Every structure is written in C-alpha cells, then in structure tokens.
Amino acid sequence: MNQKNYILWDNSGWIVNVKSFLPDYLAKTESVFCQGNGRLGLRAVTEESYCGMVRNMFVNGTFNRFSENEVTELPNLPDMTAFEIYINGHSFSLLKGNFLDYTLSLNLYNGKLKREFIWISPEQHKFKMVFERFVSMTERDLVGMKISITPLNCDCEVLIKTGIDGQMTNSGSQHFEEGESCVLPGNILQMCSKTTNSDVFVVNQVNLESYIDGWRIEKPFSVTIGRRKITAKGEYVLSPKQTLSIEKLALVITSRDIYFDGKQNRPSTYYKTYAETRGGHIFNNNFDFHFGQSEKTWKKVWNEIDIEISASSNRDQTFLRFAMYHLMIMTDIKDSRMGIGAKGLSGEGYKGHSFWDTEIFIMPFFLFTQPDVARIILSYRGKSLPGAYAKAKKYGYKGAMFPWESAWLDDGEVTPDWGGTDIVTGKAMEILTGHLEQHISADIAFAIYQYYVATDDTSFMEQFGYEIVLGTAEFWLSRIEIDAEGIGHINDVIGPDEYKEHVNDNAFTNHLVFHNLAVAEEFYDTLMQNNSTLLDKLVEKTNFNIDKCREIKEKLYLPQVNSQGLMEQFEGYFNLSEIDLTKYKNASTVGNIYNDYNMKMLSQIKVSKQADTLLLMLLLENVFPEECKKKNYYYYEAKTLHDSSLSKCSHSILAADIGLLDEAYKFFKEGMLTDFGDNLLSSDEGIHSACMGGIWQSVVMGFGGIRIAEEGLRINPVLPKEWNSLKFSIYWRGIRTEISINGKNITVKNEGNKSLNFSHRGQEYWLEPRKKLVFYSNNERE
Ligand code: BGC
C-alpha cells in the first residue's frame, strides 16, 4: 500500500511531517518517527489507543529469553505513553466525530514529536489538541510528554487516565514477572519488575502534573493499582478557550545501566531507592526545562555531524538528516556493552539483535564523525570475544567465530532457527544464517582495520583490536579446507546474498578472509617489532599461528574474473538458470519471490537478494580495476532484487565510483526512500538501521568520495546533477576536515592542528592546519 508523498519536509530542512492520519497504517509513523537516545527507544505511538498499534519501549541491553524454545530478545518494557482521554463523557478517538488540520511532525534538530489538530466531537464541539513528546538526549532515562486540550466553543469536563502499563509483551511473550507498584509522595507512580530469565530489574516511575492556562493544579490524581498496571485519574472542568495541560515525566532505570558497573546482583530495593532519588532530582523540573536541556545536547550533536546539501528541493537534505537522527538515536554512544539493533530501538523486528550491519554499514558514519563512538561500537565486539571463542569451539573450530546475530555479551549466537513460510512445504523455513553466514567474522576484522588506519588509536588496538583480528584469523585457519591439490576452500557458507545457501568459495567471503589473514600478518609483524610482550599474550589467548597463517593464506582460493571479466559469486553460480525477474524487480514490497520459490529453488537460479560480489568490489576496491567493477555491476545488478535494505546504498556508492552518476543518484534516492518513502508497510517492525548508515555513506563516501584507501585518506568528490552543492566534515586521524563541493570547486579545509595528508585524483597533498586547498571540480573521479 502506497500513499503518495506521505512523509513531507518543509523549507527548514529540519522538520518532517505527515498531514493525514491513517489508522490502518499506524506502524509506518510509529517506526519512522520513533524517538530515542541510544539507550532508550520509543515508538511514536499515539497517546489514545487504536487497534493494530504497537506500543514499544526498549532499553538497550536488557535482553531476556522468554523460553527455551525462543532466542533472547530485547523486551518491550512497561508502557508509559498511553492516555485515555474522556471529553464530556466521550472517550477521545480520531475515529469518532471528525478532525481538521492534522499534523504529526518530528523536529530533527531538537528531537520533539508533536501532533496537533482540531477535534470535532460527535456533538460538533471543537477542541484544539496538542501532544508533545521527547526522549531526553541529556538525561538518558527520561521521557517527557505533554498533552494540551483547549475547548474552542464549549465548556467541558475532561477526564484523563494514564500511568504505567506492565501488560506489554513482545508479540505475546511476556518478559517480566509481575512486580510491585506503588504511589510515592507527590503524583509519582512507580512500578518495579524483573525479567523472567536474565534477572534484569526495571523501575518505571512517572510524575504527573496538570495546569490550566499555565497555573498548576494542586489537586492530586486518584490512583488505582491493578494487575501489572498502575493508573492515575485526573478530572477537570474547562471554560471555552481555557487550556488544560498534563505533563508526564517518565523515568526508566534498569539494573543493566552503565552506572551500576554491570553488578546486577544487588537487592531490588537498591534500584528502587536509586530510582526514587533520581525521581527526586528529575521531577523537580518540568517538561519545558528538560526539553530545553535535551535540545542543547541535540544542538551539540548536530554541530558535529551535520551535512548541507543544496538542491532545488529540500527532500534530500531533510531525509539525510532524518537518517543521521536515526543513527544517533539507535546507538548507545556511552556503553560498549550494547550492540546496535538491525531495527535500532524502533520495533520488535530482529529482536534487538546486531548483525554485520553495524560494522559495514553503520560504523563508518561514527568513524568519520565521532571516532570515539566508533571505538565504543567496536569494543562491543571486543567484549563479546568470549562468545566468539565459544561459538568456534562448539562448531569444532579454533579462534573467534562471531555470532551472526548478537544480543547480550555472553549470549553467543542468537539467530532464531525458524522463520517465514516455505511456499512448497507450507512449513516454517529453517534459518541457516546462524550456522553458515560466517563472513561476519571477517567483516568485523575489516572494520577494525578501517578504524586502525583512520584513527591511529593504539590503546583500542591493544585492548581489543589486535585480539579480534588474530582471533578471527585463527578461526579461518581452522575453517579453510585444503584439497588434494593443496588449494584452500571455504565450503558450505552463506555469503551476503541470503538467497543462496550451502555455497562453496563465495567470492565475497574468500576475499574478505584473505584480507583478515593479511591484516593478522601485518599486525603480528608490527607487534613483533614494537610490543612482543603483548604479542605473546595474544598468541596464547587466540592460539594464532603465524606460520600456518602465512602458509594457508597463500593456499586460499581467491576467485578471479573469467575471460568476460565476470567474477563468479560462488562455485557453480554461472551454471545456474536464469528466469525473468521483472515482476520481482518491479514489486513495491520486498521478498515477493518467496511467494513463488522456496530456498531450495532459489539456490538454483541467478537471483540475488542483495549486493554480494559488488559489495566485495566496493570494500576491497583496490583489488579490482574499474573496468571489472563496471562489467560486474551491470551483470549482477540486473539479477539483484534489493530485497535487503543494505543493497541499494552499496550499489549507489559503487555506481558513483565507476562514473555512473545517474545510477548512483537513483540508488541513493531509492535507498533513502526505503523507510521515508511512500510504502506504508515498509517499516512495520522497525526502521532499517543499516540503510540509515547506507544513506550517509552514499552521500559522504559515494558522492563525497571519501575513502580509506591504500594510500590513506582519499577525497574524490563528484556531485550528482540534482544537487548544487554538498558540504560535510570528517575526522581523519584526529583532524577535523571540512569538504565542500559545488559545480565549480572542491574545497578541503584543515580545521585541526596537525597537517593533513590526503590524495585527490591520484595526487598526494599535505595541508597545514587552518589552511584550505581549492580544486577545480570537473565532476570526474580521476
Ligand atoms: C539481510 C542481512 C542483514 C539482516 C539484518 C537481512 O535481510 O539479508 O544482510 O544483516 O537483514 O538487517
């Protein structure tokens, strides 16, 4: 179902809004307009309830396993957003009476969600209604809500019921034991609960205040405690044009919070008391104060990350900021025990699990804009190493084999075993990625190397980086099978293209593994010279064997292009049959091919879910000449359905690299519209996190031409014809550098206090601090 121009933007470049209320498609805005701060994520649900809505609030890291038959997931916490509103005896709903001037807007600059309209009750009385909400970027446990109701042409009696609702589930799985609820002095409600298995203790606490025309009403709310629910009720009488405002400040504290130092075995009263003290501090101030504080933090964030695009329409500018907004609210920038969910914190999809999406698609944004956060993101993998060693052992390998899907640090592999329907058997399909999609270990090593080159952060390398690379290399050494002719193979895997299972010598996997081994060798040699004590320790821990590495690396089969310049995606791919893919390529929703083919059948045809060989040519760009990239681009794009949101951005960047600017822009635009476009069913279970990173990468690494190349930083921008100019800043080895491009010039400005070394169109440059270099822009890459 599509609704043309559903999500709109305005002239400011900062505000996204929708002008119609579509009760059958609530999930679209719930996900896409969600709010958060990296620790806490909240879907943009309406206060009043509608059938089909999904109230979700998550706190990163609070994973729980509901039963032995299910994998661990991020539990949906008790809800604090629901309000029942009765006006003159009618329960308020947009499905009753009528409404005018509806706008739901999200201000990306300050994170405020606002819904406003005039409601016309069944008796034709008019009410101005405004709903505002923020998730604080400053106080990471705080959500602020404000409802304002103004009768325009009548007196009215208003009754409000709201509180904390612990009856929430993840599609039926209740992750909490029923805890205790109570009323604290003031209008404070509290609910304490604990996850059923992982023993994460959660305290929800809300403070309610009401005002008429700005005057605080002293009258306390009356409170009812029910089963898994505590509700306050307030009653008011309003004259025409008087405004009733209800402010609800809501805190969520969990025993997984960073300030508890991971010590989770304290008595529940400890967290309860902590929450009460915290409430005493936070509830001293009102909605506007806390919103102001949060806005200040957002401002600082935008000062670091903003990108300016000038074009005839503000769409690309606004939606690029929308993507960066999502990257910021999905990532815990303080706590390295937390991964980034494939749906961020915006929905139950993928159960809050992290994939390679983090390292390959999301991490570059942080690496270039907030390298300290990139370190935190990669440290999560460092802290998950015990799980990676355990997974390798379980499968009979050595070293560190990272889980395809990860949750809490010691959860290990959490990929579910079953999902989707097999069109032939009618049964659930077996999910094999947790067993076979092993390239993630090499992807993580790839990201570590990128971080190492772009930051020179030896302290991270010593803490985690070297160990991850040596540990993953050791895994591959035990994984590669040497045949009778002495050639090394990686058999029985799933490459990035998940429409192909049990394949041998997937080009992407083999080349990335070769890179992993080469980096391990490089690090080994560096450490041998500079820090042999550390090297000894690492060798002991990872069992990494340098001689074996040198030997097997040379034996590893590295697929090469054939006489037509084409690289075979995996052994035997070229023998597969071709079918007409037009129907699937033109479909407005993804995964339609499953309606006609099951996984076994898909394995026999030349069709890809997402970029696979092309992504290899993008990541290891210097291994493949441009002509080869071009040939493979045309060959594989025609067979790719882009059924994963990771696909279009990769195509966009590669197309920009090989001079296909119109293609690059087309894929950038389509990638950007994955969540923000007109498909109302695109984001039901949450937004696509990797795609948000991909949108940023298409702009900065694709058009902006920023790349961590063999020679170091490369800056080779090209502007699509749809834009007049592009301006962004990146960090390179601690130096903030501003790059601006317009039709005439490319300007590189060193804003740091060290000399900047980079290459541009094959030439090397040194740029002194505070100086700039201006290049003529002929919009060609070489
Ligand atoms: C894609 C994977 C991706 C996962 C999570 C799947 O549909 O094929 O590459 O990691 O979604 O985003």
Side-chain angles (χ1 to χ4, degrees), residues 55-272:
R55 293 193 190 274
N56 275 162
M57 183 175 75
F58 304 106
V59 168
N60 207 348
T62 55
F63 287 102
N64 185 56
R65 189 170 183 184
F66 172 66
S67 78
E68 284 298 307
N69 303 331
E70 295 190 16
V71 293
T72 184
E73 69 181 328
L74 210 49
N76 188 13
L77 300 186
D79 174 71
M80 305 191 281
T81 57
F83 282 74
E84 286 175 49
I85 304 170
Y86 297 84
I87 301 181
N88 288 339
H90 290 289
S91 64
F92 159 71
S93 161
L94 286 169
L95 303 179
K96 288 185 187 165
N98 213 334
F99 58 91
L100 300 171
D101 301 336
Y102 181 91
T103 311
L104 169 69
S105 64
L106 178 67
N107 185 328
L108 305 168
Y109 192 67
N110 60 27
K112 189 192 268 186
L113 182 75
K114 191 169 178 183
R115 196 161 56 107
E116 50 192 328
F117 48 85
I118 309 275
W119 184 55
I120 307 171
S121 72
E123 281 103 26
Q124 300 299 308
H125 290 146
K126 289 187 175 174
F127 301 88
K128 170 134 185 81
M129 321 243 332
V130 182
F131 299 81
E132 295 164 274
R133 193 185 294 167
F134 68 91
V135 172
S136 175
M137 223 25 186
T138 311
E139 309 290 353
R140 298 184 348 131
D141 46 9
L142 175 67
V143 179
M145 286 158 272
K146 187 181 193 170
I147 296 185
S148 307
I149 302 171
T150 315
L152 298 177
N153 60 354
C154 62
D155 295 333
C156 73
E157 286 175 8
V158 179
L159 187 154
I160 305 273
K161 285 188 191 174
T162 187
I164 307 170
D165 180 358
Q167 296 177 3
M168 312 311 292
T169 67
N170 290 55
S171 312
S173 296
Q174 170 56 269
H175 283 280
F176 291 92
E177 287 169 6
E178 181 162 11
E180 274 173 43
S181 298
C182 67
V183 191
L184 300 169
N187 300 317
I188 299 175
L189 316 182
Q190 189 189 65
M191 180 182 283
C192 303
S193 41
K194 191 169 68 126
T195 55
T196 52
N197 195 359
S198 54
D199 288 343
V200 177
F201 199 80
V202 175
V203 187
N204 290 66
Q205 202 165 269
V206 302
N207 182 49
L208 286 158
E209 296 290 347
S210 31
Y211 303 84
I212 291 182
D213 286 344
W215 295 96
R216 183 167 177 271
I217 319 272
E218 288 298 330
K219 187 177 68 166
F221 291 80
S222 58
V223 177
T224 326
I225 298 182
R227 191 168 180 197
R228 293 178 187 268
K229 207 166 182 173
I230 175 164
T231 313
K233 187 170 87 176
E235 289 173 274
Y236 313 87
V237 177
L238 301 178
S239 318
K241 307 264 163 58
Q242 272 193 325
T243 299
L244 166 70
S245 305
I246 308 286
E247 292 191 8
K248 184 174 183 180
L249 292 179
L251 282 173
V252 197
I253 314 288
T254 92
S255 54
R256 283 257 159 104
D257 284 333
I258 191 165
Y259 35 78
F260 297 131
D261 308 326
K263 288 191 198 110
Q264 220 181 288
N265 51 358
R266 297 177 168 108
S268 56
T269 45
Y270 178 87
Y271 304 106
K272 197 170 144 54

Side-chain angles (χ1 to χ4, degrees), residues 341-343 350 353-358 361 404-405 433 437 439 495-499 609-610 643-646 688-691:
K343 301 280 184 192
Y350 288 124
H353 297 170
S354 309
F355 297 66
W356 69 318
D357 305 32
T358 302
F361 296 88
W404 175 244
E405 296 187 26
T433 48
E437 198 154 358
H439 62 83
D497 169 13
E498 294 184 348
Y499 284 166
K609 180 177 179 186
Q610 62 203 95
D643 277 353
S644 154
S645 72
L646 284 55
H688 300 81
S689 306
C691 186

Side-chain angles (χ1 to χ4, degrees), residues 392-438:
K393 205 164 170 192
K394 183 175 159 205
Y395 282 80
Y397 301 123
K398 291 188 185 161
M401 179 187 190
F402 278 97
W404 175 244
E405 296 187 26
S406 309
W408 187 240
L409 297 174
D410 53 14
D411 281 338
E413 181 60 69
V414 290
T415 306
D417 286 328
W418 304 97
T421 317
D422 183 317
I423 189 74
V424 176
T425 65
K427 294 186 179 155
M429 285 192 281
E430 195 173 358
I431 301 178
L432 297 177
T433 48
H435 308 287
L436 303 183
E437 198 154 358
Q438 298 167 3

